[in-house]
Amino acid sequence: MASVWLQRMRSRNVSPNYHTYNTALAACLDGKLESTFIASKIATEMVEDATRELACGLKGIANYKSALPDTYTKFLGRELMKQLRENWRNGDIDMALAKTTTRVPLLKMVDFDKEIPPEALNSIQCDLPEDDENESSDQDYEFSLLAELHKDDHRTAMV
């Protein structure tokens, strides 16, 4: 359910912030192996968003827009790794497989640093910011059309 929530947000062009990621990761702390796989996928998405944020900058208030992992995120990552360890101790997954696949994104999230290597900067694509001037000119044009339409003192019906 947690990853579906994030997919719905992205389909509506809403970027998740660290509060959203923390909620989704906390929902995965139920002891199930499947939830750990989902948390690993969410951790991958969060690290990608945080890396993009560091490379391209943040536009807006950090508390609402930032995807950088905070201390609670790192705590959740450690708890999810403990959950994964319990899963391999119970025989749900092979330890070597868990360490090479599922645990890697969780470790990246826990060890996330606010510095990007220079070679990684070249591979990150930043979205170009929308042209606010062009958007306001479109709104001005639409307003002028509405003003022209309602110029008369009486109402006219257009068919």
Side-chain angles (χ1 to χ4, degrees), residues 94-113:
D94 182 49
M95 181 174 68
L97 179 67
K99 284 185 175 183
T100 57
T101 57
T102 309
R103 194 172 89 169
V104 173
L106 297 171
L107 281 172
K108 285 183 181 179
M109 184 180 67
V110 169
D111 296 336
F112 188 81
D113 194 14

Side-chain angles (χ1 to χ4, degrees), residues 17-90:
N17 62 8
Y18 68 95
H19 297 292
T20 310
Y21 282 117
N22 287 348
T23 304
L25 289 169
C28 295
L29 282 172
D30 59 359
K32 297 178 184 173
L33 181 62
E34 182 182 341
S35 298
T36 311
F37 290 150
I38 293 170
S40 179
K41 179 184 168 197
I42 292 170
T44 302
E45 294 172 3
M46 184 175 193
V47 169
E48 288 172 359
D49 286 349
T51 304
R52 189 177 312 107
E53 178 183 323
L54 285 176
C56 301
L58 177 67
K59 190 173 187 179
I61 301 171
N63 197 25
Y64 300 132
K65 301 277 186 175
S66 179
L68 296 176
D70 62 345
T71 54
Y72 183 61
T73 308
K74 295 179 180 191
F75 168 77
L76 289 172
R78 288 188 295 275
E79 291 297 313
L80 286 161
M81 285 189 282
K82 288 178 188 175
Q83 177 175 302
L84 180 63
R85 186 179 326 126
E86 287 301 315
N87 287 328
W88 80 53
R89 285 182 181 164
N90 293 337

